[in-house]
Amino acid sequence: MAKISMIVNGNPVTANVDPRMLLVQFLRENLRLTGTHVGCDTSQCGACVVHLDGRAVKSCTTLAVMADGHEVKTIEGLAADGAPLHPMQEAFREHHGLQCGFCTPGMIMTAVDIVHRKGNDLTDEVIREELEGNLCRCTGYQNIVASIAAGAKAMAKSDLA
Amino acid sequence: MYEFKYHRPGTVRQAANLLAKNEDAKVIAGGHTLVPVMKQRLASPPHLVDLSHIEGLNEIEMKGRALVIGATATHFEVANSPTVGEAIPALAELAGMIGDPAVRHRGTIGGSLANNDPTADYPAAVMALGATIVTNKRRLKPEEYFQGLFSTALEPDEIITKVLFPLPKKAAYVKFRNQASRYALVGVFVAKRPSDVRVAVTGAGSNGVFRLESFEEALKKRFSHKVLDGLTVAAEGLNSDIHGSAEYRAHLIAVLARRAVEAATAKE
Ligand SMILES: Cc1cc2nc3c(=O)[nH]c(=O)nc-3n(C[C@H](O)[C@H](O)[C@H](O)COP(=O)(O)OP(=O)(O)OC[C@H]3O[C@@H](n4cnc5c(N)ncnc54)[C@H](O)[C@@H]3O)c2cc1C
Ligand code: FES
Ligand code: FES
């Protein structure tokens, strides 16, 4: 077993884990943060995307021990419970950026990362290119792209990062 | 995934000692090749030695006439490094074409070169630029380092510490992506170096990355895409699979080489 400590959604957590535990398992099974999903076993779908030290990563391809000492943000950490949604979440709701919703947490965490790296004015082309690592089996992407463009603009006027 | 012991050394020397002491131990850098294959139980190292806590191992700097990239520099760091962008823009572009943004945030140059996937991007750059692979034991030229599919000159307790890239006069990388995996179906890196011209091909060779000497000869006389007119590539020795036949790959190599030379000459 290995002792790990990290900040998850602003809260310090400490645990003893088997070194082979994936970060996504740790988040879902130990911390009960089940918003982060697993959609594949080939590291390609992006349903598991969380932020590690502020950068989008695939938590299904990261060992929990490798996040030791670092900061993790999941979909649950974007906006406080009961508070208004994060502007990117709100944009997905507003623009029908989801159908079954399985890919959505990963899409939104990726989208927020895109805004952090590329700014608030995103062309469709940039969004599509940046969504390379996120698959959706429902929407056909059109509304996801529209949601991200709108969410990016809304983030400029919001206090939520 | 099978059980393993996890080690977190603070120096390359400690890491090498752990590898020497524990049979079948493996290092882990970004984990973006190793974790997927361990999940599928295609690899089951009893010991994992994590390189991510070794300070300075991801440093990127200019040393004399060479660009030095530390082994644990991520694809994201290489793609966005102003030092790389100024010294060898084609290399920054290549790093920015690997996988997707999340993969680039974790995957490293050392891991990519140690893995030597025949469809990976970095091997083409290392081969064409004539880079030197520096390990905890020695320095290796690409010709000695790359030894075929997923195979390199690295010994079990050998760790890549950095890669030295001599600066080319002109260079460009053009990649034709596999539509599903986004790895290179074919990728061609062209470099006009002070002394010669090199054309390296990834994704196509049934033995991994290779140089295209006939194209190099032509380009050495004049570095222009026009000298490639009429030159073709033989399908013999190229990969044939569900993604493309050997003939198709041969055709792609010639087309991409031409585009790479055009891109390299357009840059100035
Ligand atoms: C969805 C997806 C898409 C991808 N697309 C591409 C692509 O388009 N092009 C491409 O080139 N690659 C692609 N990759 C691979 C990616 O670039 C990997 O990150 C890379 O091949 C391995 O780097 P790593 O740091 O993750 O290595 P790890 O997975 O940590 O290690 C890989 C191997 O290298 C060894 N190793 C690692 N570092 C060292 C070192 N310093 N010295 C000695 N041995 C070492 C390990 O022991 C292991 O055997 C993709 C990966 C994924 C998951
Ligand atoms: S579950 Fe992580 S990429 Fe699919
Ligand atoms: S909304 Fe169903 S997978 Fe994207």
Side-chain angles (χ1 to χ4, degrees):
Chain A
M1 297 297 267
K3 188 171 175 223
I4 59 171
S5 307
M6 62 184 91
I7 311 278
V8 179
N9 298 334
N11 307 312
V13 296
T14 298
N16 271 312
V17 299
D18 187 331
R20 65 181 153 165
M21 180 175 254
L22 299 170
L23 179 58
V24 70
Q25 286 174 299
F26 180 65
L27 295 171
R28 289 179 57 85
E29 293 165 21
N30 286 38
L31 304 182
R32 291 293 182 202
L33 294 170
T34 53
T36 303
H37 295 164
V38 175
C40 74
D41 56 10
T42 52
S43 308
Q44 281 174 310
C45 78
C48 63
V49 169
V50 301
H51 293 183
L52 184 63
D53 294 338
R55 300 256 177 244
V57 304
K58 293 178 170 176
S59 61
C60 72
T61 314
T62 305
L63 298 170
V65 283
M66 296 183 86
D68 180 29
H70 296 271
E71 210 167 307
V72 176
K73 191 183 242 186
T74 70
I75 186 77
E76 290 91 344
L78 281 185
D81 252 356
L85 293 174
H86 182 280
M88 192 58 79
Q89 293 174 305
E90 183 56 36
F92 269 68
R93 197 186 64 78
E94 177 71 23
H95 295 267
H96 303 282
L98 60 146
Q99 288 182 20
C100 80
F102 194 84
C103 69
T104 313
M107 287 287 175
I108 289 178
M109 296 312 282
T110 297
V112 172
D113 176 66
I114 300 172
V115 177
H116 290 163
R117 286 183 292 109
K118 304 259 163 183
N120 299 87
D121 273 312
L122 300 171
T123 63
D124 282 13
E125 201 188 349
V126 166
I127 296 170
R128 285 176 189 276
E129 178 74 28
E130 290 285 327
L131 282 184
E132 178 59 53
N134 293 76
L135 300 177
C136 174
R137 300 309 302 267
C138 302
T139 65
Y141 300 97
Q142 195 62 34
N143 289 353
I144 293 178
V145 175
S147 304
I148 294 177
K153 286 210 169 68
M155 276 174 70
K157 298 187 219 97
S158 164
D159 299 331
L160 294 174
Chain B
M1 201 184 292
Y2 289 109
E3 272 184 305
F4 57 84
K5 280 217 166 64
Y6 174 77
H7 307 269
R8 186 183 287 163
T11 63
V12 172
R13 181 188 289 262
Q14 283 172 11
N17 285 342
L18 285 162
L19 289 180
K21 210 168 63 195
N22 298 294
E23 204 178 336
D24 295 329
K26 268 192 165 295
V27 299
I28 183 164
H32 270 54
T33 292
L34 196 49
V35 172
V37 298
M38 286 174 66
K39 284 203 282 186
Q40 289 163 3
R41 296 189 170 181
L42 296 172
S44 49
H47 294 267
L48 272 195
V49 178
D50 188 350
L51 298 182
S52 67
H53 290 257
I54 300 180
E55 233 173 283
L57 200 58
N58 66 339
E59 249 168 51
I60 299 175
E61 57 179 349
M62 283 301 299
K63 269 228 172 99
R65 290 287 295 157
L67 171 67
V68 183
I69 302 186
T72 55
T74 61
H75 308 327
F76 174 78
E77 285 163 348
V78 173
N80 292 284
S81 153
T83 309
V84 181
E86 195 165 308
I88 314 181
L91 193 60
E93 280 164 31
L94 174 146
M97 288 184 221
I98 297 175
D100 59 58
V103 168
R104 295 195 286 273
H105 283 150
R106 298 292 295 166
T108 68
I109 185 169
S112 176
L113 290 172
N115 193 47
N116 192 20
D117 187 310
T119 62
D121 298 296
Y122 269 125
V126 165
M127 190 66 118
L129 293 165
T132 301
I133 292 175
V134 183
T135 75
N136 56 327
K137 300 184 171 188
R138 54 188 167 150
R139 293 166 163 251
L140 290 154
K141 285 281 157 208
E143 293 75 16
E144 356 168 43
Y145 178 80
F146 296 112
Q147 304 203 338
L149 302 187
F150 297 102
S151 157
T152 70
L154 290 179
E155 289 162 12
D157 60 342
E158 194 164 11
I159 297 168
I160 299 175
T161 54
K162 55 192 168 192
V163 187
L164 311 182
F165 292 94
L167 300 197
K169 296 196 139 134
K170 292 175 183 178
Y173 179 63
V174 179
K175 172 180 183 179
F176 191 91
R177 291 183 168 96
N178 175 317
Q179 289 301 307
S181 77
R182 312 305 273 177
Y183 276 86
L185 187 64
V186 174
V188 178
F189 200 111
V190 172
K192 182 177 194 302
R193 310 186 331 136
S195 55
D196 62 5
V197 174
R198 290 192 183 187
V199 179
V201 180
T202 189
S206 50
N207 213 17
V209 65
F210 66 92
R211 280 171 62 186
L212 202 57
E213 271 115 25
S214 56
F215 281 47
E216 292 180 355
E217 281 309 312
L219 289 165
K220 215 171 144 178
K221 291 189 191 107
R222 189 156 75 94
F223 193 73
S224 156
H225 63 89
K226 292 198 183 102
V227 304
L228 300 180
D229 280 348
L231 279 189
T232 55
V233 177
E236 207 187 318
L238 299 185
N239 274 337
S240 213
D241 54 27
I242 53 164
H243 307 296
S245 64
E247 290 73 23
Y248 180 57
R249 282 188 165 89
H251 176 72
L252 269 183
I253 294 172
V255 172
L256 299 189
R258 205 187 155 88
R259 285 186 195 164
V261 174
E262 277 181 293
T265 44
K267 268 177 192 150
E268 279 159 57

